[in-house]
Amino acid sequence: MSRLGNLSFRTVCRKEVDSPWSWLVCICASIIVALFFGFSLSVGLMFPVLMEYFQTTRERTGKFNAYFKISIGTFLNRRHEPWVGSVGVAGTFMLGPLSSVIINRLGCRPAAFLGGLICVASLLLSSLPSRFPLLFLTYSFPFGFGSSCLFVSCYVIISQYFDKKRALATGIVASGTGVGVFAVAPICQSLLDAYDWRNTYRITAGYFSVVCILCLTFVPPMKKKADGSDDVADNQVEMPDEIPAADKPKKLLNFSIFKNKVYTLVTLSFTIAFFGHLTPRLHLVKFSEDLNVSADAAAQLFIYIGITTFIGRMLSGILNNISFVNPIFVYMLGIILDGSCVVILSLAENYIYLVVFSILFGAADGLMIGSFNFIILNCVEPSKRASAFGVAGLFYGCTLAGGPPLAGFIADRLNSYKPSFILCAAVEFVAAVILLFVICGHSQPFHKQPVLEEVPLGDEFSGDHCKLDDTKSVTKLQP
């Protein structure tokens, strides 16, 4: 009986593809994503508090404007607070290539652990500044880099641990963002109500440290032996943070991914869409105040966004796991819905409009981002996934960093958020149109088993030969 129990335990702990351990990794990655994205995307709750506190400080010191006499100071002079949030969130994506280099060199587990430590240190240091510009040095850049290491590691390790259920697992990890938003936003608001913003940062650093424990499960999956046996011998010791030589990328960053037509166009579309995607979310609390909505009521909107984001991302995983569903169509639906709900926000006159926007925005976010992550991870070779995921983040992170501040600048000049929101919606509709080129140029369904042809090892994939399913040998798709 004890032997049976021991075998059962070994079975559960086997670090193989599509094993019970794979689902443990999936759960841990989802919690990590929930924690760092939950705080990053709820930072809009901090804007009114920071504006009030540092406005008083600037009046006392009279030194703030001296730091920004260049043209960008025009953006930062009135609505500069969005830069702290947008640069922090954008850093998660923009620093993706650097995170990819670390992952390709060290592996997912060390990279994620390093990212967790940096995030905790960033939150602690962010409780100390006496002047607003210092938050860029203590929060925006370090938290963005730490989050980037966590972000890329979570998705790359999932692509390594899942084959049959990869779309579903990717959707589950992506849904962590929704869980984080509706769980973390009320906590942040409660902390702000009970304490000041400095103690809020410190307490957040405390519970954030759990990511350093969760990422210890990110052990690379063991490979099957050449003789077809299911596992390595019991007396063999696995080197958890070592990537087998055959699977190590030849380059720290592989830019041949841009030869892939699907990858290039989908990344371009997402880059354009991200210019307007997170702008309404980061300005939502301030816009709600302009409509005479209380801070507590505005915080409730993040709960609606979080719940529907969770549902949307889970739905994207389920849909993309169906053989006859093309993920490109799911992705396009998300972008169109996203642009449409921003139009609704621009027409908002009361709290009901804000609730409708929050529900639709969360669903759109789930469908769009869940599908994008799956497409990016599955349209390139396994050895190029870290590079593909990280490099894509560099592009859409740049537009994410500039979108919210530009919206604040336009709102300052025109004394209204409506023109800014209309611009965001228009940009997203343009992003949806770009996907038509992907659909027209890629006739084969994403999940239909392709006709495979063996090619010599070392041959590069051409742009039209998009690898969508892992095989044991290097293959290319036939038209």
Side-chain angles (χ1 to χ4, degrees):
M1 187 72 178
S2 59
R3 179 175 177 77
L4 180 61
N6 187 37
L7 289 174
S8 177
F9 178 78
R10 279 193 220 157
T11 301
V12 171
C13 293
R14 280 179 175 171
K15 300 169 182 65
E16 297 177 336
V17 176
D18 295 323
S19 66
W21 186 269
S22 302
W23 291 106
L24 176 62
V25 171
C26 181
I27 293 171
C28 291
S30 301
I31 296 174
I32 292 174
V33 169
L35 288 174
F36 76 78
F37 264 135
F39 185 79
S40 296
L41 299 179
S42 300
V43 75
L45 296 171
M46 305 284 285
F47 289 169
V49 178
L50 293 174
M51 289 175 68
E52 180 181 358
Y53 180 87
F54 285 107
Q55 179 65 35
T56 302
T57 302
R58 290 200 303 271
E59 290 174 354
R60 290 201 307 265
T61 62
K63 296 180 180 179
F64 179 78
N65 288 331
Y67 291 99
F68 299 100
K69 292 300 183 182
I70 54 176
S71 59
I72 201 171
T74 306
F75 289 91
L76 299 178
N77 191 34
R78 295 187 181 184
R79 293 179 185 258
H80 52 271
E81 284 78 5
W83 278 94
V84 170
S86 64
V87 171
V89 177
T92 303
F93 310 116
M94 292 175 64
L95 297 173
L98 179 57
S99 301
S100 298
V101 169
I102 295 174
I103 291 171
N104 287 336
R105 175 67 68 180
L106 302 177
C108 290
R109 183 163 72 166
F113 190 83
L114 174 64
L117 290 179
I118 293 174
C119 286
V120 171
S122 172
L123 292 170
L124 289 174
L125 291 174
S126 296
S127 67
L128 303 177
S130 58
R131 290 178 295 183
F132 182 82
L134 294 177
L135 282 174
F136 287 97
L137 299 177
T138 61
Y139 175 76
S140 299
F141 296 107
F143 192 86
F145 174 61
S147 297
S148 180
C149 291
L150 292 169
F151 176 65
V152 180
S153 296
C154 287
Y155 281 96
V156 171
I157 197 67
I158 288 300
S159 70
Q160 293 176 1
Y161 261 105
F162 286 91
D163 184 12
K164 298 177 182 178
K165 300 291 184 180
R166 184 179 298 149
L168 180 59
T170 303
I172 292 174
V173 172
S175 67
T177 303
V179 175
V181 171
F182 75 74
V184 175
I187 294 175
C188 286
Q189 186 62 53
S190 299
L191 291 174
L192 288 172
D193 292 340
Y195 307 98
D196 58 4
W197 64 272
R198 295 185 187 276
N199 285 320
T200 297
Y201 273 118
R202 292 169 187 148
I203 296 173
T204 303
Y207 74 72
F208 200 93
S209 60
V210 72
V211 303
C212 295
I213 299 175
L214 295 174
C215 70
L216 296 179
T217 61
F218 289 6
V219 181
M222 291 185 285
K223 306 297 181 182
K224 290 189 177 182
K225 297 170 64 177
D227 60 4
S229 59
D230 292 334
D231 201 355
V232 297
D234 291 343
N235 59 354
Q236 286 184 278
V237 179
E238 179 194 5
M239 301 301 293
D241 295 320
E242 298 235 353
I243 304 174
D247 295 333
K248 283 188 178 180
K250 296 180 180 179
K251 303 176 182 178
L252 292 179
L253 275 180
N254 197 326
F255 290 100
S256 65
I257 52 179
F258 289 107
K259 295 179 181 180
N260 188 310
K261 178 181 178 181
V262 175
Y263 175 83
T264 302
L265 289 177
V266 170
T267 300
L268 175 62
S269 169
F270 200 68
T271 299
I272 294 174
F274 243 50
F275 178 84
H277 175 60
L278 289 181
T279 296
R281 187 203 296 258
L282 290 176
H283 283 281
L284 186 57
V285 173
K286 191 63 181 175
F287 179 65
S288 300
E289 288 184 352
D290 293 343
L291 296 179
N292 298 318
V293 175
S294 67
D296 289 336
Q300 292 292 321
L301 298 175
F302 286 91
I303 298 179
Y304 302 139
I305 292 175
I307 293 174
T308 51
T309 295
F310 172 79
I311 295 174
R313 297 196 181 191
M314 287 293 292
L315 182 61
S316 73
I318 294 172
L319 291 176
N320 292 332
N321 210 54
I322 300 175
S323 60
F324 58 82
V325 173
N326 191 331
I328 293 293
F329 289 113
V330 181
Y331 172 50
M332 178 183 284
L333 173 63
I335 293 182
I336 294 174
L337 181 59
D338 197 11
S340 301
C341 71
V342 176
V343 173
I344 294 175
L345 182 63
S346 68
L347 303 175
E349 297 178 352
N350 52 49
Y351 190 67
I352 299 299
Y353 282 86
L354 300 180
V355 172
V356 172
F357 160 78
S358 300
I359 293 173
L360 295 179
F361 177 84
D365 177 274
L367 293 174
M368 182 174 75
I369 296 182
S371 298
F372 171 78
N373 291 334
F374 174 70
I375 294 169
I376 290 299
L377 288 171
N378 283 271
C379 70
V380 296
E381 299 172 64
S383 63
K384 298 179 182 178
R385 284 174 183 159
S387 295
F389 207 74
V391 171
L394 172 63
F395 289 100
Y396 62 77
C398 290
T399 55
L400 169 61
L406 179 59
F409 172 73
I410 296 174
D412 269 349
R413 289 291 176 265
L414 301 179
N415 295 317
S416 173
Y417 270 114
K418 292 185 179 180
S420 299
F421 292 156
I422 292 296
L423 175 62
C424 292
V427 166
E428 296 206 60
F429 290 137
V430 171
V433 171
I434 292 177
L435 294 176
L436 295 177
F437 294 96
V438 182
I439 295 172
C440 294
H442 189 78
S443 58
Q444 185 173 353
F446 267 68
H447 291 285
K448 182 178 289 186
Q449 280 292 336
V451 178
L452 303 175
E453 176 187 343
E454 299 293 334
V455 297
L457 290 174
D459 285 6
E460 295 291 340
F461 277 52
S462 65
D464 293 329
H465 296 145
C466 174
K467 183 176 180 184
L468 302 171
D469 293 290
D470 287 337
T471 55
K472 293 189 180 297
S473 58
V474 179
T475 57
K476 67 179 182 179
L477 302 188
Q478 294 302 306

